[in-house]
Every structure is written in C-alpha cells, then in structure tokens.
Amino acid sequence: MPTQPGRRPGTDGRRGDVLTTRVGLQMAPNLSFEAWQRAGGQLAGVIDSSSWWLGDWLVYGKDHYADRYQLGIRTAGLKYQTLRNYAWVSRRFDMSRRRSGLTFQHHAEVASLPLDKQETWLDEAEKKRWTTKQLRNAIRALDEPGSAEPTRLDPPRQLALPGSRIARWHKAAEHSGIDFDRWVLVTLDSAAGQVLERDDEIAALSA
C-alpha cells in the first residue's frame, strides 16, 4: 500500500508523531505533552507485558520441547537466566490470577510467598495503589524481628560474600530489571529447580 503523503513509513496511523524502531524511538519535534505522556504509558505497558510474554513463552517451550527449547532460546538471541526469572514468576501465577492493574514486578515481589499471601498482598497493592517499592517495603516491615505475622516461607539467613561478587550480582539484577533481593531469590530457586530436574532425569534413566 502506498505511503500517504506527509506521513513517515511505520508511524502510528492515528497520530504519526511517534515511531518505534529496533534501535530507538523517534518523536516529532512538535510533540505535545499529552501525546508524549500517552506514548510513555503505552511503552511501559509493552515492557511490562513483554515480561509475561517471555515467561509464558519459555514455560511453553520447556513443557513442549524439553529436548530442544534451549536451542530455540539461543537461536532467538535471548539470555537464558533472564528468561528463567520471567518463567519462574509466570509459573507461580496462572493467567487467571494475574492482575492487569499491577505490573509484572508487583507479582515478582510476592512470587516466593504462599498462594494465600500472594493474594493478600496483591489485593493490598491494588487497593492502596502501591508502587513495587511500597509493596516491597510493606512486606519487609512484617519480616522484621518481633513481627506477629511472618510472611516468608523461610526465615532470613546471612551469608558472608566478597564485595566484588555482590557488585556483580547487583549489575545482573539491574540488567534483568528485577529488585536485587528478588533476583537473588529467583536465581537460587531457578538453579535449585535445574539441579532437581537433572536428578529426576538421572533417577528415571537408572530405574
């Protein structure tokens, strides 16, 4: 179809003021504040949805192509550990339990909790319109010593580590777009699941 005069190829048909490309975002020089604000909301929605999409994509691949799905990940040029983090949260929340009014990160903040606690905290976050940081702080407040209602599955533990390693982990968490504490938990859970799956496979072959 011929391009309409005065409109750049690939721009939004309604506005023609924002163009998304693989390497950046092009915006009209006279873009109104309202249009700029609207575009930000749309971009944030795409980013948040993409975490669910990628998580569900990996879950499906693992369930249907157990012997080939890692090849598919490499071919797509995606980072496996990041996808495992997304997939871990996706498995913890089936589609019917996901709150469209909350972000993927809200769900990630409570993913390690028992199911009833997940629902309680997500209800609170929706009702009080908490940011992910506010939700995290509220959960941590009940994790403090002397709390009448512990919310975590296990009590907190301390582990001495070299500072250089912690800095590297912080960088990885930032790259994955996940809070550092949550990234550590998700990564350890993912590693444990990988080891246990391998042990199950070995046991099945030995049976």
Side-chain angles (χ1 to χ4, degrees), residues 178-190:
I178 300 177
D179 172 68
F180 176 71
D181 291 349
R182 186 66 53 198
W183 180 87
V184 171
L185 181 61
V186 170
T187 301
L188 289 175
D189 277 346
S190 297

Side-chain angles (χ1 to χ4, degrees), residues 56-69 91:
D56 291 338
W57 177 76
L58 182 60
V59 169
Y60 184 93
K62 190 170 184 179
D63 290 346
H64 290 79
Y65 319 112
D67 58 334
R68 293 175 292 166
Y69 79 103
R91 281 197 185 275

Side-chain angles (χ1 to χ4, degrees), residues 47-151:
I47 291 171
D48 188 62
S49 297
S50 67
S51 299
W52 288 119
W53 297 339
L54 288 169
D56 291 338
W57 177 76
L58 182 60
V59 169
Y60 184 93
K62 190 170 184 179
D63 290 346
H64 290 79
Y65 319 112
D67 58 334
R68 293 175 292 166
Y69 79 103
Q70 291 197 34
L71 174 61
I73 293 170
R74 290 195 297 271
T75 302
L78 299 169
K79 293 191 176 182
Y80 181 55
Q81 185 57 55
T82 299
L83 290 178
R84 281 186 67 90
N85 294 341
Y86 292 155
W88 182 77
V89 177
S90 295
R91 281 197 185 275
R92 296 286 288 171
F93 293 94
D94 60 48
M95 201 77 69
S96 64
R97 295 183 55 237
R98 299 175 187 177
R99 315 289 183 95
S100 60
L102 297 175
T103 67
F104 178 88
Q105 186 60 33
H106 280 95
H107 293 76
E109 291 293 337
V110 302
S112 64
L113 303 178
L115 190 146
D116 61 329
K117 295 295 183 182
Q118 292 175 1
E119 294 300 307
T120 297
W121 283 114
L122 292 180
D123 285 342
E124 285 291 294
E126 278 191 317
K127 181 173 65 175
K128 298 179 179 178
R129 305 176 69 86
W130 279 341
T131 64
T132 54
K133 183 177 181 180
Q134 289 172 321
L135 173 60
R136 186 185 315 132
N137 289 341
I139 296 173
R140 284 178 176 173
L142 288 182
D143 283 339
E144 294 297 326
S147 170
E149 185 184 2
T151 59

